[in-house]
């Protein structure tokens, strides 16, 4: 009888998928146009200026005014899509590609109770998630729990993708930081809109992989308790691009050559070290502990080829009171097979929050 180590199979599946996606000539690598020049310098300064008093700055965020159209409506639920101008400040707006200036959202809302007796969770995009569909499938069954789903299309993705960009393969390292910073600003404005305009009684923010990193940042910065739900997520983009499978899909030679044009000569190892330094700006453990760490639930995979266990545990350690739940599988198989566990975490995270006082 042959015994099969399922954990190793899941891990191997991640590497087979990663090899197909990132080591073949089928797709271009990440950052094929280099570091991003002056944009990268500007972003490094902008992000460093946020610390240490990160949470108190820029609140309330710029008000957004989504324009809605109804996609479908039934007796129990309604799906609308909306657009709004990104609330990013002028300096960041100037760095965003024009295609990303208008944000798009899908909003799936139950109709059985008023908003102040309902929750809403903002779902942020993982790497390569260009459409609303997958996240609407994740949130759809929660309608019967009176939980609404707000899905944000990321800058650089979907209809917001720059014309020269192939798929999810960002052209410059600066694009990753711009994407992250703009996503955070947009998600904060959406949470503020859900609270002050729509009047929801509880709120949360979740995301898979890269979306989970952004969700953790948004939850950390929110001035009142929200459920914060990172799924299959590292504590920093350093882990994804310098340790996990994505390191094989990164244009290291192009990054070295870009530096050479500035008369900076580096070995590939030194280029990787520079990448670590730049991406350390995305380290969530530098962010404040969320207002209600009990409502932080991380769902992570036991055999993830993209996200090592130590990275998950670093965030849990930085945020005492947060919970880690492990699902059996790798990054790809868990993404496909464990939606019920992600939904359970959403429900449980929201259950750990108090209801906002209802309007008179």
């Amino acid at each position: 009888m042959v015994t099969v180590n399922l954990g190793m199979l899941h891990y191997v599946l991640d590497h087979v998928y990663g090899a197909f996606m990132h080591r073949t000539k089928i797709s271009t690598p990440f950052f094929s146009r280099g570091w991003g020049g002056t944009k990268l310098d500007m972003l490094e300064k902008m992000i460093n200026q946020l610390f240490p008093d990160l949470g108190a700055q820029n609140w309330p965020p710029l008000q957004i005014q989504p324009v809605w159209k109804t996609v479908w409506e039934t007796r129990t639920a309604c799906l609308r899509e909306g657009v709004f101008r990104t609330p990013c400040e002028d300096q960041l707006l100037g760095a965003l590609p024009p295609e990303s200036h208008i944000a798009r959202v899908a909003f799936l809302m139950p109709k059985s109770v008023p908003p102040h007796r309902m929750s809403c969770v903002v779902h942020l995009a993982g790497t390569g998630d260009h459409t609303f569909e997958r996240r609407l499938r994740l949130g759809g069954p929660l309608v019967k729990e009176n939980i609404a789903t707000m899905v944000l299309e990321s800058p650089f993705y979907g209809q917001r993708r720059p014309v020269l960009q192939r798929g999810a393969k960002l052209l410059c390292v600066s694009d990753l930081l711009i994407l992250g910073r703009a996503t955070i600003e947009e998600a904060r404005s959406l949470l503020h809109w859900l609270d002050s305009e729509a009047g929801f009684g509880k709120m949360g923010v979740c995301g898979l992989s890269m979306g989970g990193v952004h969700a953790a940042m948004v939850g950390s910065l929110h001035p009142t308790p929200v459920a914060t739900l990172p799924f299959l997520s590292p504590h920093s983009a350093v882990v994804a691009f310098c340790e996990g499978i994505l390191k094989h899909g990164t244009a290291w030679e192009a990054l070295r050559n870009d530096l050479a044009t500035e008369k900076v000569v580096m070995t590939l190892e030194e280029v990787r070290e520079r990448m670590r330094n730049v991406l350390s700006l995305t380290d969530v453990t530098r962010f404040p502990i969320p207002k209600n760490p009990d409502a932080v639930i991380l769902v992570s995979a036991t055999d993830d080829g993209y996200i090592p266990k130590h990275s998950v545990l670093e965030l849990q350690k930085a945020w005492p009171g947060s919970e880690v739940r492990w699902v059996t599988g790798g990054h790809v198989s868990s993404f496909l097979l464990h939606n019920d566990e992600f939904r359970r975490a959403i429900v449980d995270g929201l259950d750990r929050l108090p209801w906002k006082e209802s309007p008179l």
Side-chain angles (χ1 to χ4, degrees):
M1 181 176 159
V2 179
T3 58
V4 178
N5 183 332
L6 279 179
M8 181 55 70
L9 275 181
H10 290 302
Y11 188 78
V12 167
L13 173 63
D14 279 354
H15 279 266
V16 169
Y17 177 81
F20 177 75
M21 291 299 293
H22 307 304
R23 293 199 196 191
T24 64
K25 301 293 184 188
I26 291 172
S27 63
T28 54
F30 284 95
F31 317 133
S32 59
R33 298 280 179 101
W35 297 92
T38 55
K39 280 188 184 179
L40 184 60
D41 299 337
M42 178 267 288
L43 282 154
E44 288 185 88
K45 287 190 189 120
M46 186 187 290
I47 293 170
N48 277 319
Q49 282 165 3
L50 290 173
F51 299 100
D53 192 23
L54 197 54
Q57 295 186 24
N58 302 327
W59 194 265
L62 285 174
Q63 196 77 24
I64 56 170
Q65 297 178 315
V67 177
W68 299 102
K69 69 171 184 181
T70 300
V71 178
W72 55 255
E73 188 165 5
T74 66
R75 187 174 49 81
T76 56
C78 175
L79 177 64
R80 293 187 291 166
E81 290 184 4
V83 293
F84 59 91
R85 185 170 174 77
T86 183
C88 297
E89 61 203 59
D90 288 345
Q91 194 177 24
L92 187 58
L93 191 67
L96 265 179
E99 297 92 337
S100 291
H101 286 194
I102 299 299
R104 295 177 66 243
V105 287
F107 189 21
L108 177 62
M109 186 169 165
K111 293 168 64 177
S112 51
V113 294
H116 70 272
R117 299 303 302 161
M118 201 186 297
S119 305
C120 186
V121 176
V122 176
H123 292 239
L124 303 180
T127 301
D129 190 356
H130 288 272
T131 68
F132 297 139
E133 278 69 28
R134 193 206 61 75
R135 285 170 284 163
L136 286 174
R137 281 200 303 274
L138 177 61
L142 297 173
V143 164
K144 63 181 182 292
E145 311 265 2
N146 291 325
I147 298 171
T149 293
M150 177 76 82
V151 179
L152 173 65
E153 182 181 73
S154 275
F156 293 89
Y157 278 23
Q159 293 186 24
R160 306 178 72 187
R161 181 167 56 89
V163 67
L164 295 177
Q165 179 183 304
R166 298 282 299 279
K169 299 300 177 66
L170 302 173
L171 294 172
C172 299
V173 175
S174 60
D175 291 346
L176 184 67
L177 299 179
I178 296 167
L179 184 160
R181 181 67 197 274
T183 297
I184 291 163
E185 296 299 329
E186 291 170 4
R188 296 185 84 195
S189 288
L190 282 169
L191 285 172
H192 185 56
W193 183 87
L194 289 166
D195 181 24
S196 62
E197 297 293 320
F200 279 88
K202 296 184 186 183
M203 294 175 302
V205 58
C206 75
L208 275 103
S209 198
M210 174 184 75
V213 176
H214 297 151
M217 293 174 175
V218 171
S220 156
L221 298 177
H222 203 69
T224 57
V226 293
T228 303
L229 307 152
F231 302 147
L232 310 178
S233 301
H235 75 286
S236 162
V238 170
V239 176
F241 286 97
C242 299
E243 294 180 32
I245 289 169
L246 290 183
K247 70 183 178 187
H248 302 300
T250 298
W252 298 109
E253 284 287 357
L255 291 167
R256 181 165 71 170
N257 293 339
D258 189 28
L259 291 168
T261 63
E262 300 172 27
K263 305 293 190 286
V264 178
V265 179
M266 286 191 180
T267 65
L268 281 178
E269 194 47 53
E270 288 170 328
V271 172
R272 290 189 176 96
E273 191 54 36
R274 180 167 196 246
M275 179 73 93
R276 282 182 169 276
N277 289 335
V278 170
L279 295 187
S280 69
L281 296 167
T282 67
D283 187 340
V284 183
T285 64
R286 300 173 73 195
F287 282 65
I289 297 172
K291 297 295 181 290
N292 189 342
D294 291 348
V296 178
I297 301 176
L298 301 93
V299 181
S300 302
T302 53
D303 301 281
D304 195 320
Y306 287 78
I307 314 298
K309 283 184 181 177
H310 78 81
S311 180
V312 179
L313 297 175
E314 279 187 51
L315 183 54
Q316 184 194 29
K317 182 181 175 184
W319 288 358
S322 61
E323 179 187 352
V324 176
R325 298 179 179 180
W326 297 98
V327 294
T328 302
H331 200 77
V332 175
S333 60
S334 297
F335 177 82
L336 297 171
L337 300 176
H338 289 304
N339 280 332
D340 284 344
E341 282 83 355
F342 301 144
R343 290 186 196 106
R344 176 52 46 199
I346 290 171
V347 171
D348 291 348
L350 290 167
D351 280 347
R352 296 173 188 179
L353 296 176
W355 286 101
K356 191 174 72 175
E357 287 187 20
S358 62
L360 295 175

